[in-house]
Amino acid sequence: MMKKLGFLILISITLFLGIGFYNCIEITNYSVHDKALPKGFDGYRVVFLSDLHCKVLGENESKLIRAVDSCDPDIVVFTGDMIDGDHTDISSVRNLFAGLAGKYPMFAVSGNHEKDYPLNYRKLLEYYEEYGVNNLDNESRMLSLNGSHIGIYGLPYQNSYYIYKTSYPPDLSANDFNILLYHDATVFSPISSYGYNLVLSGHTHGGIVRIPFIGGMINNNGSLFSEYDNGMYQINGSTLISNRGIGDSYFPRFYNRSEVVCITLRTDTE
Ligand SMILES: [Fe+2]
């Protein structure tokens, strides 16, 4: 009897760990409803990738490219930590850009790893040039469709002290609807007062270790059970989508699959 029980416990633990550490691409769909969105952009689709950390997903990044294609996006955005200091070979990023170039306009901001590893970052900037990725660090673009316009802005990663203290945002009055790309979701609270309709962020890796029914446990900065680590949040009329990211740093993901986020913008407020 005790032998049988011991065997059952062993099988259960093995299954729990095996399923937990298993990883594949998970596509998450969101609809963002906002009355401020111009009618011409109703149904506009944004694919949102974050924190690749040079992860290889199929030959020439084919699995990730297929996942993006399956969302049929109008644009693709990247919110930082595409590279890191653990990898000298960053060809996965190049393969990803190569597979998306010419199909979708691409927009990117840098994360903490781009900032910390300048050699790899320099290579990444070359790939931006080569494959037409718009670098939105302290930059913006106006997107136009069906006679309507929206704004897309970017901020490079910075110490959260500056996010709290610096006087943002820029003048957003040129468009009724504005998107911000910023790497770190954990500072959504001050950013929500900047006036952006939609904020897209990552950095948290979904809390890395996600315990079923409890959620993410560890943030990348070492804090436990941090806020805004996964999903959609709304404060001050601003919507955050926090992306769990794709790659790993420090510790492998647990019950936390690599995430490709597909967003559809809607003009109504359902
Ligand atoms: Fe990060």
Side-chain angles (χ1 to χ4, degrees), residues 193-204:
S193 64
Y194 292 179
Y196 293 97
N197 301 80
L198 177 61
V199 178
L200 305 180
S201 303
H203 181 58
T204 66

Side-chain angles (χ1 to χ4, degrees), residues 23-35:
N23 195 7
C24 62
I25 296 173
E26 190 170 278
I27 295 176
T28 312
N29 290 287
Y30 293 97
S31 289
V32 172
H33 297 259
D34 194 320
K35 273 191 287 196

Side-chain angles (χ1 to χ4, degrees), residues 7-237:
F7 183 70
L8 268 180
I9 290 171
L10 191 68
I11 291 284
S12 305
I13 291 172
T14 306
L15 275 176
F16 180 72
L17 293 177
I19 296 169
F21 283 117
Y22 172 74
N23 195 7
C24 62
I25 296 173
E26 190 170 278
I27 295 176
T28 312
N29 290 287
Y30 293 97
S31 289
V32 172
H33 297 259
D34 194 320
K35 273 191 287 196
L37 184 77
K39 285 211 162 44
F41 277 82
D42 188 36
Y44 196 73
R45 292 172 71 79
V46 179
V47 161
F48 165 28
L49 307 178
S50 197
D51 302 85
L52 182 71
H53 288 273
C54 301
K55 192 176 177 81
V56 175
L57 291 146
E59 195 181 352
N60 296 327
E61 224 54 12
S62 56
K63 288 182 184 172
L64 185 52
I65 293 163
R66 260 202 310 274
V68 172
D69 288 340
S70 73
C71 298
D72 191 23
D74 292 284
I75 59 170
V76 180
V77 305
F78 310 96
T79 59
D81 286 4
M82 298 298 283
I83 55 164
D84 59 27
D86 298 332
H87 299 85
T88 47
D89 177 4
I90 68 163
S91 55
S92 54
V93 185
R94 183 186 196 151
N95 292 335
L96 174 64
F97 291 162
L100 301 177
K103 292 193 280 191
Y104 318 107
M106 296 184 276
F107 302 89
V109 289
S110 56
N112 48 304
H113 284 267
E114 277 86 357
K115 204 178 143 139
D116 290 345
Y117 301 100
L119 279 181
N120 277 350
Y121 184 42
R122 224 169 293 151
K123 266 194 248 170
L124 181 70
L125 290 176
E126 285 171 19
Y127 296 163
Y128 284 179
E129 281 287 315
E130 195 175 343
Y131 297 106
V133 179
N134 292 275
N135 182 359
L136 288 191
D137 280 353
N138 290 319
E139 293 280 342
S140 66
R141 297 284 188 280
M142 188 184 274
L143 304 174
S144 302
L145 184 70
N146 304 320
S148 302
H149 311 283
I150 63 174
I152 182 164
Y153 292 75
L155 278 178
Y157 176 81
Q158 49 210 297
N159 187 298
S160 57
Y161 172 84
Y162 295 103
I163 287 291
Y164 280 89
K165 296 293 176 198
T166 311
S167 54
Y168 284 110
D171 180 9
L172 297 175
S173 60
N175 297 294
D176 294 332
F177 187 92
N178 294 291
I179 299 171
L180 174 69
L181 309 183
Y182 180 66
H183 180 61
D184 184 1
T186 63
V187 290
F188 180 52
S189 182
I191 283 181
S192 68
S193 64
Y194 292 179
Y196 293 97
N197 301 80
L198 177 61
V199 178
L200 305 180
S201 303
H203 181 58
T204 66
H205 293 210
I208 305 175
V209 172
R210 292 192 67 80
I211 301 298
F213 309 109
I214 296 176
M217 292 187 68
I218 315 163
N219 184 15
N220 262 339
N221 61 16
S223 61
L224 299 177
F225 300 105
S226 75
E227 275 188 294
Y228 312 120
D229 67 357
N230 168 44
M232 186 150 79
Y233 304 84
Q234 278 172 323
I235 320 179
N236 294 325

